Structures are given as structure tokens and as C-alpha cells.
Amino acid sequence: MPEREVELLAAALRRDSADLNLYVNVLSANLADSLPPGAVRVKRRRSLAERVAGREGSVAALDVALGAQRLLLRMDRGRVAGEIRHEVRGIVLSRRPVGLDEWIDALARSLADAAASNARAREAVERFLA
């Protein structure tokens, strides 16, 4: 995928990131719907009121596995912490804490790389660019 398209994808992923809770909820739902089963894991935090009302709760952590790269995003009291891991067969070879912007750029690049060889990932990229 050309560098310009990766930049457009990163911009599309960055869109609406002003409200972090809403952003992470929408991003996790879109990624879970778009990527192959098992590629996205979402951990939710549910208050008692949310449990009683039958709501899912807010996203506490988002874990996206694309190839040998695993991208983790954690939400804690309105703050976000990102981490990029390089994993092979479940063994973490490296891990690096990153900010939200760098995490989004890494996600865009990983999605673009996956789109080159996977039709479902290509559909996900096209959905984000639309």
C-alpha cells in the first residue's frame, strides 16, 4: 500500500479521537467487526449500573494482533496508554510503550500490511477510508 494511503488510513483512524472513551468504543467495535476472528480482543469494565441495565460497559483494553505485531491500548480514568509488541508464537520479543498518535500510526501500517495479503483486512482498510 502506498505511503499516502497509509497516511490517509492513520488520519481516518485518528478521526474523532477527542472523546477518548467514545473513540476507543467505536474503534474496538469497528476492528472486531472488520478483522478475522481472534485478531481483536476487547476487555470491558462494567459498573454495577451497567450490569443491571444489561449494557456492555466501557472498553478498558483493546488488543489487536496483526501478524507478528500486537498492539495494546489501555484506558484508565480517561487516560490512554499504548504498547507495541513484537511476538512470535506467543513469545514477546520486544515491547515498547507509545502514545496514542504513534499507536494509531502503527495500527494503520499493520492494517495496510495485512491488507496486502488478506481480503478481510483489505475490506477493513476500505471501510476506514470510506
Side-chain angles (χ1 to χ4, degrees):
M1 180 175 266
E3 186 66 29
R4 178 70 180 139
E5 288 185 23
V6 173
E7 290 172 8
L8 288 173
L9 178 58
L13 289 168
R14 207 172 268 113
R15 184 175 45 214
D16 302 327
S17 63
D19 181 349
L20 286 176
N21 289 325
L22 178 63
Y23 174 73
V24 173
N25 280 319
V26 170
L27 181 64
S28 64
N30 285 340
L31 289 172
D33 290 344
S34 303
L35 295 174
V40 178
R41 290 185 286 184
V42 180
K43 181 179 176 187
R44 296 187 177 276
R45 184 179 302 115
R46 291 174 58 188
S47 67
L48 180 60
E50 288 171 326
R51 287 184 195 135
V52 170
R55 292 191 298 251
E56 289 184 314
S58 59
V59 174
L62 175 61
D63 182 350
V64 182
L66 293 166
Q69 191 163 37
R70 177 168 238 120
L71 302 149
L72 293 105
L73 194 64
R74 290 185 190 86
M75 292 289 299
D76 188 27
R77 298 181 195 144
R79 284 189 265 171
V80 66
E83 182 176 274
I84 299 172
R85 294 181 184 172
H86 182 74
E87 264 183 34
V88 176
R89 291 186 215 104
I91 298 171
V92 178
L93 301 176
S94 69
R95 71 179 62 201
R96 184 169 49 99
V98 296
L100 181 60
D101 284 339
E102 189 173 347
W103 188 88
I104 290 171
D105 289 339
L107 177 62
R109 187 156 312 286
S110 293
L111 283 171
D113 292 345
S117 62
N118 183 310
R120 191 148 184 191
R122 191 169 25 263
E123 290 172 11
V125 168
E126 289 170 359
R127 188 174 304 154
F128 282 113
L129 290 175

